[in-house]
């Protein structure tokens, strides 16, 4: 997925299994309107977690939702376009949080991007994102 940012131009995100957006904004990701993504609202109100889930983002909401979904049994991939998590906080915060998430089983992929998403066939098939990066 391509994301326009403030100050860094366009960046890319990627995930191998599914896409969930936590940014609170709209995106122009090709195919997103056809795959029924979860935002933070759908995720926190869900009565189940999917077997596999990509949480797009590296901020507090994305990290919190990745933590919760992994703890509840999802196999979580966290694509991050930059080099680490929680970069708007003090520099010493993101690295230990990333270490703990990795220890819990979250697949953190720095410098990654989702360029598009689609379902394999029917509306209930797995989401197939196109991914670049780590």
């Amino acid at each position: 997925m391509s994301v326009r940012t403030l100050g860094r131009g366009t960046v890319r995100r990627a995930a191998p299994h599914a896409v969930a957006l936590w940014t609170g904004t709209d995106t122009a990701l090709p195919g997103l309107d056809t795959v029924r993504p979860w935002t933070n609202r759908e995720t926190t109100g869900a009565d189940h977690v999917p077997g596999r889930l990509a949480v797009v983002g590296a901020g507090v909401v994305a990290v919190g939702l990745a933590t919760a979904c992994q703890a509840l049994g999802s196999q979580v991939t966290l694509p991050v376009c930059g080099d680490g998590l929680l970069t708007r906080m003090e520099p010493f915060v993101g690295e230990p949080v990333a270490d703990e998430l990795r220890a819990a089983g979250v697949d953190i992929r720095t410098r990654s991007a989702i360029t598009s998403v689609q379902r394999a066939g029917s509306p209930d098939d797995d989401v197939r994102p196109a991914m670049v990066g780590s």
Side-chain angles (χ1 to χ4, degrees):
M1 139 173 73
S2 295
V3 178
R4 284 182 299 249
T5 67
L6 298 173
R8 290 193 302 162
T10 300
V11 295
R12 297 189 178 273
R13 297 259 193 245
H17 305 295
V19 176
L21 298 177
W22 316 118
T23 63
T25 61
D26 293 326
T27 182
L29 176 63
L32 188 63
D33 58 336
T34 67
V35 299
R36 299 183 320 268
W38 284 5
T39 67
N40 58 326
R41 288 178 182 88
E42 285 85 11
T43 306
T44 56
D47 60 2
H48 73 284
V49 293
R52 295 178 308 202
L53 179 69
V55 177
V56 179
V60 173
V61 174
V63 168
L65 290 171
T67 302
C69 290
Q70 182 74 29
L72 291 170
S74 281
Q75 177 186 349
V76 176
T77 300
L78 188 61
V80 177
C81 83
D83 292 324
L85 303 179
L86 305 171
T87 57
R88 291 187 178 199
M89 300 197 155
E90 295 296 329
F92 61 84
V93 174
E95 191 171 314
V97 170
D99 291 344
E100 290 298 320
L101 283 172
R102 284 186 182 101
V106 174
D107 179 10
I108 300 172
R109 299 186 182 195
T110 57
R111 298 182 180 229
S112 296
I114 297 171
T115 58
S116 66
V117 295
Q118 66 181 20
R119 291 209 180 263
S122 76
D124 294 320
D125 283 349
D126 288 346
V127 173
R128 306 275 185 206
M131 182 168 150
V132 296
S134 311

